[in-house]
Coordinates of all heavy atoms in Angstrom, one line a residue:
M1 N 6.5 -23.7 -24.8 CA 5.9 -22.8 -23.9 C 4.8 -22.1 -24.6 O 3.9 -21.6 -24.0 CB 6.9 -21.9 -23.3 CG 6.5 -21.0 -22.1 SD 6.9 -21.9 -20.7 CE 6.7 -20.4 -19.6
T2 N 4.9 -22.0 -25.9 CA 3.8 -21.3 -26.7 C 2.6 -22.1 -26.9 O 1.6 -21.7 -27.4 CB 4.4 -20.7 -28.0 OG1 4.9 -21.9 -28.7 CG2 5.5 -19.7 -27.9
D3 N 2.7 -23.4 -26.4 CA 1.5 -24.3 -26.6 C 0.4 -23.9 -25.5 O -0.6 -24.7 -25.6 CB 2.0 -25.7 -26.5 CG 2.9 -26.1 -27.7 OD1 2.8 -25.5 -28.6 OD2 3.7 -27.1 -27.5
L4 N 0.7 -23.1 -24.6 CA -0.4 -22.8 -23.5 C -1.4 -22.0 -24.1 O -1.3 -21.2 -24.9 CB 0.4 -22.1 -22.4 CG 1.4 -22.8 -21.6 CD1 2.1 -21.9 -20.5 CD2 0.9 -24.1 -20.9
S5 N -2.7 -22.3 -23.6 CA -3.8 -21.6 -24.2 C -3.9 -20.2 -23.5 O -3.2 -20.0 -22.5 CB -5.2 -22.3 -23.9 OG -5.3 -22.4 -22.4
N6 N -4.7 -19.4 -24.0 CA -4.9 -18.0 -23.5 C -5.4 -18.0 -22.1 O -5.1 -17.3 -21.2 CB -5.8 -17.3 -24.5 CG -5.9 -15.8 -24.1 OD1 -4.8 -15.2 -23.8 ND2 -7.0 -15.1 -24.2
T7 N -6.2 -19.0 -21.8 CA -6.8 -19.2 -20.4 C -5.8 -19.4 -19.5 O -5.7 -19.0 -18.4 CB -7.9 -20.3 -20.4 OG1 -8.9 -19.8 -21.4 CG2 -8.6 -20.3 -19.1
T8 N -4.8 -20.3 -19.9 CA -3.7 -20.7 -18.9 C -2.9 -19.4 -18.7 O -2.5 -19.2 -17.6 CB -2.9 -21.9 -19.6 OG1 -3.7 -23.0 -19.9 CG2 -1.8 -22.3 -18.7
W9 N -2.5 -18.8 -19.7 CA -1.8 -17.6 -19.5 C -2.5 -16.5 -18.6 O -1.8 -15.8 -17.8 CB -1.4 -16.8 -20.9 CG -0.3 -17.5 -21.7 CD1 -0.5 -18.2 -22.8 CD2 1.0 -17.5 -21.2 NE1 0.8 -18.8 -23.0 CE2 1.7 -18.3 -22.1 CE3 1.8 -17.1 -20.1 CZ2 3.1 -18.6 -22.1 CZ3 3.2 -17.4 -20.0 CH2 3.7 -18.0 -21.0
L10 N -3.7 -16.4 -18.7 CA -4.5 -15.5 -17.8 C -4.4 -16.0 -16.4 O -4.3 -15.2 -15.4 CB -5.9 -15.3 -18.2 CG -6.2 -14.6 -19.5 CD1 -7.7 -14.7 -19.9 CD2 -5.7 -13.2 -19.4
W11 N -4.4 -17.2 -16.1 CA -4.4 -17.8 -14.8 C -3.0 -17.6 -14.2 O -2.8 -17.3 -13.2 CB -4.9 -19.2 -14.7 CG -6.3 -19.5 -14.5 CD1 -7.2 -19.8 -15.5 CD2 -7.1 -19.2 -13.3 NE1 -8.4 -19.7 -15.1 CE2 -8.4 -19.4 -13.7 CE3 -6.7 -18.8 -12.1 CZ2 -9.5 -19.3 -12.8 CZ3 -7.7 -18.7 -11.1 CH2 -9.0 -18.8 -11.5
V12 N -2.1 -17.8 -15.1 CA -0.5 -17.6 -14.7 C -0.4 -16.1 -14.4 O 0.3 -15.9 -13.3 CB 0.4 -18.0 -15.9 CG1 1.8 -17.5 -15.4 CG2 0.3 -19.5 -16.0
A13 N -1.0 -15.1 -15.1 CA -0.8 -13.8 -14.8 C -1.5 -13.5 -13.5 O -1.1 -12.6 -12.8 CB -1.5 -13.0 -15.9
K14 N -2.7 -14.0 -13.3 CA -3.4 -13.8 -12.1 C -2.6 -14.2 -10.9 O -2.4 -13.6 -9.9 CB -4.8 -14.5 -12.0 CG -5.9 -13.8 -12.7 CD -7.2 -14.6 -12.5 CE -8.2 -13.9 -13.4 NZ -9.6 -14.6 -13.0
G15 N -2.1 -15.4 -10.9 CA -1.2 -16.0 -9.9 C 0.0 -15.1 -9.5 O 0.3 -14.8 -8.4
L16 N 0.7 -14.8 -10.7 CA 2.0 -13.9 -10.5 C 1.6 -12.6 -10.0 O 2.3 -12.1 -9.1 CB 2.8 -13.9 -11.9 CG 3.4 -15.1 -12.3 CD1 3.9 -15.0 -13.7 CD2 4.5 -15.6 -11.4
G17 N 0.5 -12.1 -10.5 CA 0.2 -10.7 -10.0 C -0.2 -10.7 -8.5 O 0.1 -9.8 -7.8
A18 N -1.0 -11.6 -8.1 CA -1.4 -11.8 -6.8 C -0.2 -12.0 -5.8 O -0.2 -11.3 -4.8 CB -2.4 -12.9 -6.6
V19 N 0.7 -12.9 -6.2 CA 1.9 -13.0 -5.4 C 2.8 -11.8 -5.3 O 3.2 -11.4 -4.3 CB 2.7 -14.4 -5.8 CG1 4.0 -14.4 -5.1 CG2 1.8 -15.6 -5.6
A20 N 3.0 -11.2 -6.6 CA 3.8 -10.0 -6.5 C 3.2 -9.0 -5.8 O 3.9 -8.1 -5.0 CB 3.9 -9.6 -8.1
G21 N 1.8 -8.7 -5.8 CA 1.2 -7.5 -5.0 C 1.4 -7.8 -3.5 O 1.8 -6.9 -2.7
S22 N 1.3 -9.1 -3.1 CA 1.5 -9.3 -1.6 C 2.9 -9.2 -1.3 O 3.3 -8.7 -0.1 CB 1.0 -10.8 -1.2 OG -0.4 -10.9 -1.4
A23 N 3.8 -9.6 -2.1 CA 5.3 -9.5 -1.8 C 5.7 -7.9 -1.7 O 6.5 -7.7 -0.8 CB 6.1 -10.3 -2.8
I24 N 5.3 -7.2 -2.7 CA 5.7 -5.7 -2.7 C 5.1 -5.1 -1.5 O 5.7 -4.1 -0.9 CB 5.1 -5.1 -4.0 CG1 5.9 -5.7 -5.2 CG2 5.2 -3.6 -3.8 CD1 5.2 -5.2 -6.5
S25 N 3.9 -5.6 -1.0 CA 3.3 -4.8 0.1 C 4.1 -5.1 1.6 O 4.0 -4.2 2.3 CB 1.9 -5.5 0.4 OG 1.1 -5.3 -0.7
I26 N 5.0 -6.1 1.5 CA 5.9 -6.2 2.6 C 6.6 -5.0 2.9 O 7.0 -4.5 4.0 CB 6.7 -7.5 2.7 CG1 5.6 -8.7 2.7 CG2 7.7 -7.6 3.6 CD1 6.3 -10.1 2.3
A27 N 7.1 -4.3 1.9 CA 8.0 -3.2 1.9 C 7.2 -2.0 2.5 O 7.9 -1.2 3.1 CB 8.5 -2.8 0.6
Y28 N 5.9 -1.9 2.4 CA 5.2 -0.8 2.9 C 4.7 -0.9 4.4 O 4.9 0.0 5.1 CB 4.0 -0.7 2.0 CG 4.3 -0.1 0.6 CD1 4.0 -1.0 -0.4 CD2 4.9 1.0 0.4 CE1 4.4 -0.7 -1.8 CE2 5.2 1.4 -0.9 CZ 5.0 0.6 -2.0 OH 5.3 1.0 -3.2
V29 N 4.2 -2.1 4.6 CA 3.6 -2.3 6.1 C 4.2 -3.7 6.5 O 3.7 -4.7 6.1 CB 2.2 -2.2 6.1 CG1 1.7 -2.5 7.7 CG2 1.6 -0.8 5.7
L30 N 5.1 -3.7 7.4 CA 5.7 -4.9 7.8 C 4.7 -5.5 8.7 O 4.1 -5.0 9.7 CB 7.1 -4.7 8.5 CG 8.2 -4.4 7.7 CD1 9.3 -4.0 8.5 CD2 8.4 -5.4 6.6
P31 N 4.5 -6.9 8.6 CA 3.6 -7.6 9.6 C 4.3 -7.7 11.0 O 5.5 -7.7 11.0 CB 3.4 -9.0 8.9 CG 4.5 -9.1 8.1 CD 5.0 -7.8 7.6
K32 N 3.5 -7.8 12.0 CA 4.0 -8.0 13.4 C 4.6 -9.3 13.7 O 5.3 -9.5 14.6 CB 2.9 -7.6 14.3 CG 2.6 -6.1 14.3 CD 1.7 -5.7 15.4 CE 1.4 -4.2 15.3 NZ 0.6 -3.8 16.3
G33 N 4.2 -10.3 13.0 CA 4.6 -11.7 13.2 C 4.3 -12.7 12.1 O 3.7 -12.2 11.0
R34 N 4.6 -13.9 12.3 CA 4.5 -14.8 11.1 C 3.0 -15.2 10.8 O 2.5 -15.3 9.7 CB 5.1 -16.3 11.5 CG 6.6 -16.1 11.4 CD 7.2 -17.5 11.7 NE 8.6 -17.5 11.7 CZ 9.4 -18.4 12.1 NH1 8.9 -19.6 12.4 NH2 10.8 -18.4 11.9
R35 N 2.2 -15.2 11.9 CA 0.7 -15.4 11.7 C 0.1 -14.3 10.9 O -0.6 -14.5 10.0 CB 0.1 -15.6 13.1 CG -1.4 -15.9 13.0 CD -2.0 -16.2 14.3 NE -3.4 -16.6 14.2 CZ -4.4 -15.7 14.3 NH1 -4.3 -14.4 14.4 NH2 -5.6 -16.2 14.1
E36 N 0.4 -13.0 11.3 CA -0.1 -11.9 10.6 C 0.4 -11.9 9.1 O -0.5 -11.7 8.2 CB 0.2 -10.6 11.2 CG -0.5 -9.4 10.5 CD 0.0 -8.1 11.2 OE1 0.5 -8.1 12.1 OE2 -0.4 -7.1 10.5
A37 N 1.6 -12.2 8.9 CA 2.2 -12.3 7.6 C 1.5 -13.3 6.7 O 1.1 -13.1 5.5 CB 3.7 -12.5 7.6
A38 N 1.3 -14.6 7.3 CA 0.6 -15.7 6.5 C -0.8 -15.2 6.2 O -1.3 -15.6 5.1 CB 0.6 -17.0 7.4
I39 N -1.6 -14.7 7.1 CA -2.9 -14.4 6.9 C -3.0 -13.4 5.8 O -3.9 -13.5 4.9 CB -3.6 -13.9 8.2 CG1 -3.8 -15.0 9.1 CG2 -5.0 -13.1 7.9 CD1 -4.2 -14.6 10.5
R40 N -2.2 -12.3 5.9 CA -2.3 -11.2 5.0 C -1.8 -11.7 3.5 O -2.4 -11.2 2.6 CB -1.4 -10.0 5.5 CG -2.1 -9.2 6.6 CD -1.3 -8.4 7.3 NE -0.8 -7.2 6.5 CZ 0.0 -6.3 7.0 NH1 0.5 -6.4 8.1 NH2 0.4 -5.4 6.2
F41 N -0.8 -12.5 3.6 CA -0.4 -13.1 2.2 C -1.4 -13.9 1.5 O -1.7 -13.6 0.5 CB 0.9 -13.8 2.5 CG 1.5 -14.2 1.2 CD1 2.3 -13.4 0.4 CD2 1.3 -15.4 0.7 CE1 3.0 -13.7 -0.7 CE2 1.9 -16.0 -0.5 CZ 2.7 -15.0 -1.3
A42 N -2.1 -14.7 2.3 CA -3.1 -15.6 1.8 C -4.4 -14.7 1.3 O -4.9 -15.0 0.3 CB -3.6 -16.6 2.8
V43 N -4.7 -13.8 2.0 CA -5.9 -12.9 1.7 C -5.5 -12.2 0.5 O -6.3 -12.0 -0.6 CB -6.3 -11.9 2.8 CG1 -7.2 -10.8 2.3 CG2 -6.9 -12.7 4.0
G44 N -4.2 -11.7 0.3 CA -3.9 -11.0 -0.7 C -3.9 -11.8 -2.1 O -4.2 -11.3 -3.2
V45 N -3.3 -13.1 -2.0 CA -3.3 -13.9 -3.1 C -4.7 -14.2 -3.6 O -5.1 -14.2 -4.8 CB -2.5 -15.3 -2.8 CG1 -2.7 -16.3 -3.9 CG2 -1.1 -14.9 -2.7
V46 N -5.6 -14.5 -2.6 CA -6.9 -14.9 -3.0 C -7.7 -13.7 -3.6 O -8.4 -13.8 -4.6 CB -7.7 -15.4 -1.7 CG1 -9.2 -15.6 -2.0 CG2 -7.2 -16.7 -1.3
A47 N -7.5 -12.5 -3.1 CA -8.1 -11.4 -3.6 C -7.6 -11.1 -5.0 O -8.3 -10.8 -5.9 CB -7.8 -10.2 -2.8
G48 N -6.3 -11.3 -5.2 CA -5.7 -11.1 -6.5 C -6.3 -12.1 -7.5 O -6.5 -11.7 -8.7
L49 N -6.4 -13.3 -7.1 CA -7.1 -14.4 -8.0 C -8.5 -14.0 -8.4 O -9.0 -14.3 -9.5 CB -6.9 -15.7 -7.5 CG -5.4 -16.2 -7.3 CD1 -5.4 -17.6 -6.6 CD2 -4.9 -16.5 -8.8
A50 N -9.2 -13.6 -7.3 CA -10.7 -13.4 -7.5 C -11.0 -12.0 -8.2 O -12.0 -12.2 -9.1 CB -11.4 -13.5 -6.1
F51 N -10.3 -11.0 -7.9 CA -10.7 -9.8 -8.5 C -9.6 -9.3 -9.5 O -9.8 -8.0 -9.9 CB -10.8 -8.8 -7.3 CG -11.8 -9.3 -6.4 CD1 -11.4 -9.6 -5.0 CD2 -13.2 -9.2 -6.6 CE1 -12.4 -10.0 -4.2 CE2 -14.1 -9.7 -5.7 CZ -13.8 -10.0 -4.4
G52 N -8.6 -9.9 -9.8 CA -7.6 -9.5 -10.7 C -8.1 -9.0 -12.1 O -7.7 -8.0 -12.6
G53 N -9.0 -9.8 -12.7 CA -9.5 -9.5 -13.9 C -10.3 -8.1 -14.0 O -10.1 -7.3 -14.8
A54 N -11.3 -8.1 -13.1 CA -12.0 -7.0 -13.1 C -11.3 -5.7 -12.6 O -11.6 -4.6 -13.2 CB -13.2 -7.1 -12.1
A55 N -10.4 -5.8 -11.7 CA -9.5 -4.6 -11.3 C -8.6 -4.1 -12.3 O -8.5 -2.9 -12.6 CB -8.7 -5.1 -10.0
G56 N -8.1 -5.1 -13.0 CA -7.3 -4.7 -14.3 C -8.1 -4.0 -15.3 O -7.6 -2.8 -15.8
I57 N -9.2 -4.4 -15.6 CA -10.1 -3.7 -16.5 C -10.4 -2.3 -16.1 O -10.4 -1.3 -16.9 CB -11.3 -4.5 -16.9 CG1 -11.0 -5.8 -17.7 CG2 -12.4 -3.7 -17.7 CD1 -12.1 -6.9 -17.7
K58 N -10.8 -2.2 -14.9 CA -11.2 -0.9 -14.3 C -10.0 0.0 -14.3 O -10.1 1.2 -14.6 CB -11.7 -1.1 -12.9 CG -12.1 0.2 -12.2 CD -13.3 0.9 -12.8 CE -13.6 2.1 -12.0 NZ -14.5 3.0 -12.7
I59 N -8.8 -0.4 -13.9 CA -7.7 0.5 -13.9 C -7.2 0.9 -15.3 O -6.9 2.1 -15.4 CB -6.5 -0.3 -13.2 CG1 -6.8 -0.5 -11.7 CG2 -5.2 0.5 -13.3 CD1 -5.7 -1.4 -11.0
A60 N -7.2 0.0 -16.1 CA -6.9 0.3 -17.6 C -7.8 1.3 -18.2 O -7.5 2.3 -18.8 CB -6.9 -1.0 -18.4
A61 N -9.2 1.1 -17.8 CA -10.1 2.1 -18.4 C -10.0 3.5 -17.7 O -10.1 4.6 -18.3 CB -11.6 1.6 -18.0
E62 N -9.7 3.5 -16.4 CA -9.5 4.8 -15.7 C -8.2 5.5 -16.3 O -8.2 6.7 -16.3 CB -9.4 4.7 -14.1 CG -10.7 4.3 -13.5 CD -11.7 5.4 -13.6 OE1 -11.3 6.5 -13.6 OE2 -12.9 5.0 -13.8
L63 N -7.2 4.7 -16.5 CA -5.9 5.3 -17.0 C -6.0 5.5 -18.5 O -5.1 6.0 -19.2 CB -4.8 4.5 -16.7 CG -4.4 4.3 -15.2 CD1 -3.4 3.3 -15.0 CD2 -4.0 5.7 -14.6
E64 N -7.0 5.1 -19.1 CA -7.3 5.2 -20.7 C -6.0 4.6 -21.4 O -5.6 5.1 -22.3 CB -7.4 6.7 -21.0 CG -8.6 7.4 -20.4 CD -8.7 8.8 -20.8 OE1 -7.8 9.4 -21.4 OE2 -9.8 9.4 -20.3
I65 N -5.7 3.3 -20.9 CA -4.6 2.6 -21.6 C -5.2 1.2 -22.1 O -4.4 0.3 -22.3 CB -3.5 2.4 -20.8 CG1 -3.7 1.8 -19.4 CG2 -2.8 3.8 -20.6 CD1 -2.6 1.4 -18.5
A66 N -6.5 0.9 -21.9 CA -7.0 -0.3 -22.3 C -6.8 -0.8 -23.7 O -6.5 -1.9 -24.0 CB -8.6 -0.3 -22.0
D67 N -6.7 0.1 -24.6 CA -6.5 -0.4 -26.0 C -4.9 -0.6 -26.2 O -4.6 -1.2 -27.3 CB -6.9 0.8 -26.9 CG -6.3 2.1 -26.7 OD1 -5.8 2.4 -25.5 OD2 -6.2 2.9 -27.7
R68 N -4.1 -0.3 -25.2 CA -2.7 -0.5 -25.4 C -2.2 -1.7 -24.7 O -1.0 -2.1 -24.9 CB -1.9 0.6 -24.9 CG -2.2 1.9 -25.7 CD -1.3 3.1 -25.3 NE -2.1 4.3 -25.6 CZ -2.2 5.3 -24.7 NH1 -1.6 5.2 -23.6 NH2 -2.9 6.4 -25.1
L69 N -3.0 -2.3 -24.0 CA -2.7 -3.5 -23.0 C -3.4 -4.8 -23.7 O -4.5 -4.7 -24.1 CB -3.1 -3.3 -21.6 CG -2.4 -2.2 -20.9 CD1 -2.8 -2.0 -19.5 CD2 -0.9 -2.3 -20.9
G70 N -2.7 -5.8 -23.5 CA -3.3 -7.2 -23.8 C -4.0 -7.6 -22.6 O -3.8 -7.2 -21.5
P71 N -4.8 -8.9 -22.7 CA -5.4 -9.4 -21.5 C -4.6 -9.8 -20.5 O -5.0 -9.8 -19.4 CB -6.4 -10.4 -22.2 CG -5.7 -10.7 -23.6 CD -5.0 -9.4 -24.1
V72 N -3.5 -10.3 -20.9 CA -2.6 -10.9 -19.8 C -1.9 -9.7 -19.0 O -1.8 -9.8 -17.7 CB -1.4 -11.8 -20.4 CG1 -0.3 -12.2 -19.4 CG2 -2.0 -13.0 -21.1
E73 N -1.6 -8.8 -19.7 CA -1.0 -7.5 -18.9 C -2.0 -6.9 -18.0 O -1.7 -6.6 -16.9 CB -0.5 -6.5 -19.9 CG 0.6 -6.9 -20.8 CD 1.0 -6.1 -22.0 OE1 0.0 -5.6 -22.7 OE2 2.2 -5.8 -22.1
T74 N -3.2 -6.8 -18.6 CA -4.4 -6.1 -17.8 C -4.7 -7.0 -16.6 O -4.8 -6.5 -15.5 CB -5.6 -6.0 -18.6 OG1 -5.4 -5.3 -19.8 CG2 -6.7 -5.4 -17.9
T75 N -4.6 -8.4 -16.7 CA -4.8 -9.2 -15.7 C -3.9 -9.2 -14.5 O -4.1 -9.2 -13.4 CB -5.1 -10.7 -16.1 OG1 -6.2 -10.7 -17.1 CG2 -5.4 -11.6 -15.1
L76 N -2.6 -9.2 -15.1 CA -1.4 -9.1 -14.2 C -1.5 -7.8 -13.3 O -1.3 -7.9 -12.1 CB -0.1 -9.1 -15.0 CG 1.1 -9.1 -14.2 CD1 1.4 -10.4 -13.4 CD2 2.3 -8.9 -15.1
M77 N -1.7 -6.7 -14.0 CA -1.8 -5.5 -13.3 C -3.0 -5.4 -12.3 O -2.8 -5.0 -11.1 CB -2.0 -4.3 -14.3 CG -2.3 -3.0 -13.7 SD -2.7 -1.7 -14.9 CE -4.1 -2.3 -15.8
G78 N -4.1 -5.9 -12.6 CA -5.3 -6.0 -11.8 C -5.1 -6.8 -10.6 O -5.4 -6.6 -9.5
S79 N -4.4 -8.0 -10.8 CA -4.1 -9.0 -9.6 C -3.2 -8.3 -8.7 O -3.4 -8.6 -7.5 CB -3.6 -10.3 -10.3 OG -4.5 -10.9 -10.9
A80 N -2.2 -7.7 -9.2 CA -1.2 -7.1 -8.3 C -1.9 -6.0 -7.4 O -1.7 -5.8 -6.2 CB 0.0 -6.5 -9.0
A81 N -2.7 -5.2 -8.1 CA -3.4 -4.1 -7.4 C -4.4 -4.6 -6.4 O -4.4 -4.1 -5.3 CB -4.1 -3.2 -8.4
A82 N -5.2 -5.7 -6.8 CA -6.2 -6.2 -5.8 C -5.5 -6.8 -4.7 O -5.9 -6.7 -3.5 CB -7.0 -7.3 -6.5
S83 N -4.4 -7.5 -4.9 CA -3.6 -8.1 -3.8 C -3.0 -7.1 -2.9 O -3.0 -7.2 -1.6 CB -2.5 -9.0 -4.4 OG -1.7 -9.6 -3.4
L84 N -2.5 -6.0 -3.5 CA -1.9 -4.9 -2.6 C -3.0 -4.3 -1.8 O -2.8 -4.0 -0.6 CB -1.3 -3.9 -3.5 CG -0.6 -2.7 -3.0 CD1 0.6 -3.0 -2.3 CD2 -0.4 -1.6 -3.9
C85 N -4.1 -4.1 -2.4 CA -5.2 -3.4 -1.6 C -5.8 -4.3 -0.6 O -6.0 -3.8 0.7 CB -6.4 -3.0 -2.5 SG -6.0 -1.7 -3.6
A86 N -5.8 -5.6 -0.7 CA -6.3 -6.5 0.3 C -5.3 -6.6 1.4 O -5.7 -6.7 2.6 CB -6.5 -7.9 -0.3
W87 N -4.0 -6.6 1.1 CA -3.0 -6.7 2.0 C -3.1 -5.4 3.1 O -3.0 -5.6 4.4 CB -1.7 -6.6 1.4 CG -0.4 -6.6 2.3 CD1 0.1 -5.4 2.9 CD2 0.3 -7.6 2.7 NE1 1.2 -5.8 3.7 CE2 1.3 -7.2 3.6 CE3 0.4 -9.0 2.6 CZ2 2.3 -8.0 4.2 CZ3 1.2 -9.8 3.1 CH2 2.3 -9.3 4.0
W88 N -3.4 -4.2 2.5 CA -3.5 -3.1 3.3 C -4.7 -3.1 4.1 O -4.8 -2.8 5.4 CB -3.5 -1.9 2.4 CG -2.1 -1.3 2.0 CD1 -1.4 -1.8 1.0 CD2 -1.4 -0.4 2.7 NE1 -0.2 -1.1 1.0 CE2 -0.1 -0.3 2.1 CE3 -1.6 0.5 3.8 CZ2 0.9 0.7 2.4 CZ3 -0.6 1.4 4.2 CH2 0.5 1.4 3.5
A89 N -5.8 -3.6 3.5 CA -7.1 -3.7 4.3 C -7.0 -4.6 5.4 O -7.4 -4.3 6.5 CB -8.2 -4.2 3.3
V90 N -6.4 -5.8 5.3 CA -6.3 -6.7 6.4 C -5.3 -6.2 7.5 O -5.7 -6.3 8.6 CB -5.8 -8.1 5.8 CG1 -5.5 -9.0 7.1 CG2 -6.9 -8.7 5.0
G91 N -4.3 -5.6 7.1 CA -3.4 -5.0 8.0 C -4.0 -3.9 8.9 O -3.9 -3.8 10.0
L92 N -4.8 -3.0 8.3 CA -5.4 -1.9 8.9 C -6.5 -2.4 9.9 O -6.6 -1.9 11.0 CB -6.1 -0.9 7.9 CG -5.1 -0.1 7.1 CD1 -5.7 0.8 6.1 CD2 -4.3 0.9 8.1
V93 N -7.3 -3.4 9.5 CA -8.5 -4.0 10.3 C -7.8 -4.8 11.4 O -8.3 -4.4 12.5 CB -9.3 -4.8 9.4 CG1 -10.2 -5.6 10.2 CG2 -10.1 -4.0 8.5
S94 N -6.8 -5.5 11.2 CA -6.3 -6.2 12.3 C -5.6 -5.3 13.3 O -5.6 -5.5 14.5 CB -5.2 -7.2 11.8 OG -4.1 -6.6 11.2
R95 N -4.9 -4.3 12.9 CA -4.4 -3.4 13.9 C -5.5 -2.6 14.6 O -5.4 -2.1 15.7 CB -3.4 -2.5 13.2 CG -2.2 -3.2 12.8 CD -1.2 -2.5 12.1 NE -0.1 -3.4 11.7 CZ 1.1 -3.1 11.4 NH1 1.4 -1.9 11.3 NH2 2.0 -4.1 11.1
R96 N -6.6 -2.1 14.0 CA -7.6 -1.5 14.6 C -8.3 -2.3 15.7 O -8.6 -2.0 16.7 CB -8.7 -1.1 13.7 CG -8.3 0.0 12.7 CD -8.6 1.4 13.5 NE -8.1 2.3 12.6 CZ -8.3 3.5 12.5 NH1 -9.3 4.0 13.3 NH2 -7.8 4.4 11.7
L97 N -8.5 -3.7 15.3 CA -9.1 -4.6 16.2 C -8.1 -4.9 17.5 O -8.7 -5.3 18.6 CB -9.5 -5.9 15.6 CG -10.6 -5.8 14.5 CD1 -10.8 -7.1 13.9 CD2 -11.9 -5.3 15.2
A98 N -6.8 -4.8 17.2 CA -5.9 -5.2 18.3 C -5.9 -4.0 19.3 O -5.4 -4.3 20.5 CB -4.5 -5.4 17.7
R99 N -6.2 -2.8 18.9 CA -6.2 -1.7 19.9 C -7.2 -1.9 20.9 O -8.5 -2.3 20.7 CB -6.5 -0.4 19.2 CG -5.3 0.1 18.3 CD -5.7 1.4 17.8 NE -4.6 1.7 16.8 CZ -4.6 2.7 15.9 NH1 -5.8 3.5 16.1 NH2 -3.8 3.0 15.2
K100 N -7.0 -1.6 22.2 CA -8.0 -1.6 23.2 C -8.7 -0.2 23.3 O -8.1 0.9 23.2 CB -7.4 -1.9 24.6 CG -6.7 -3.3 24.6 CD -6.2 -3.4 26.0 CE -5.6 -4.8 26.2 NZ -4.8 -5.1 27.3
P101 N -10.0 -0.2 23.4 CA -10.8 1.1 23.6 C -10.2 1.8 24.8 O -9.9 1.1 25.8 CB -12.2 0.7 23.6 CG -12.3 -0.7 23.2 CD -10.9 -1.4 23.4
A102 N -10.3 3.0 24.8 CA -9.9 3.9 25.9 C -10.6 3.7 27.1 O -10.1 3.6 28.3 CB -9.8 5.4 25.6
D103 N -12.0 3.5 27.0 CA -12.9 3.2 28.1 C -12.6 1.9 28.9 O -12.7 1.8 30.0 CB -14.4 3.4 27.6 CG -14.7 4.7 27.1 OD1 -14.0 5.7 27.6 OD2 -15.6 4.9 26.4
A104 N -12.4 0.9 28.0 CA -12.2 -0.4 28.5 C -10.7 -0.5 29.3 O -10.7 -1.3 30.3 CB -12.1 -1.4 27.5
A105 N -9.7 0.3 28.9 CA -8.5 0.3 29.6 C -8.6 0.9 31.0 O -7.9 0.6 31.8 CB -7.5 1.1 28.8
R106 N -9.5 1.8 31.2 CA -9.8 2.4 32.6 C -10.5 1.6 33.6 O -10.4 1.7 34.8 CB -10.5 3.7 32.4 CG -9.8 4.7 31.5 CD -10.7 6.1 31.5 NE -10.0 6.9 30.5 CZ -10.6 7.9 29.8 NH1 -12.0 7.9 29.9 NH2 -10.0 8.5 29.0
D107 N -11.3 0.6 33.1 CA -11.9 -0.3 34.0 C -11.0 -1.3 34.8 O -10.0 -1.8 34.7 CB -12.9 -1.2 33.3 CG -14.0 -0.3 32.7 OD1 -14.2 0.8 33.3 OD2 -14.7 -0.7 31.7

């Protein structure tokens, strides 16, 4: 297992962080159905993979712990945070769009 390259470990950390962020989010805002759950989970994983590195670096810098974390830990933290934020954003947007405007309901 130690034969894996640093790049491989970073991708593993991104994947685990993205999945963990989406899974943890279920406890906060439950999806209304399977379709919403699948969409939000997929968006969370993609966001965690895409933005995990940058988000981890920013969070570590803001918390002033960058010198205490390795690249894998930073990536894992950033992926989980990006996934969590994406899950919330998709949930809020989908619920806003699902509401009918008050004026349209009167017609």
Side-chain angles (χ1 to χ4, degrees):
M1 194 95 161
T2 58
D3 294 341
L4 297 176
S5 69
N6 193 38
T7 304
T8 304
W9 281 113
L10 290 174
W11 276 104
V12 168
K14 278 185 182 184
L16 289 175
V19 170
S22 286
I24 290 170
S25 300
I26 292 172
Y28 294 113
V29 179
L30 292 173
K32 290 185 178 181
R34 288 182 180 177
R35 183 174 184 269
E36 183 182 351
I39 290 170
R40 289 168 61 184
F41 187 82
V43 168
V45 170
V46 170
L49 291 172
F51 302 111
I57 291 169
K58 178 64 175 172
I59 293 168
E62 289 294 320
L63 296 175
E64 298 177 356
I65 58 172
D67 59 333
R68 297 182 210 137
L69 297 176
V72 173
E73 294 168 317
T74 303
T75 302
L76 180 68
M77 173 182 60
S79 292
S83 178
L84 180 73
C85 290
W87 176 276
W88 275 86
V90 170
L92 291 175
V93 169
S94 67
R95 289 180 185 194
R96 291 276 173 152
L97 292 176
R99 291 184 187 167
K100 294 180 181 177
D103 294 334
R106 292 183 192 149
D107 293 336

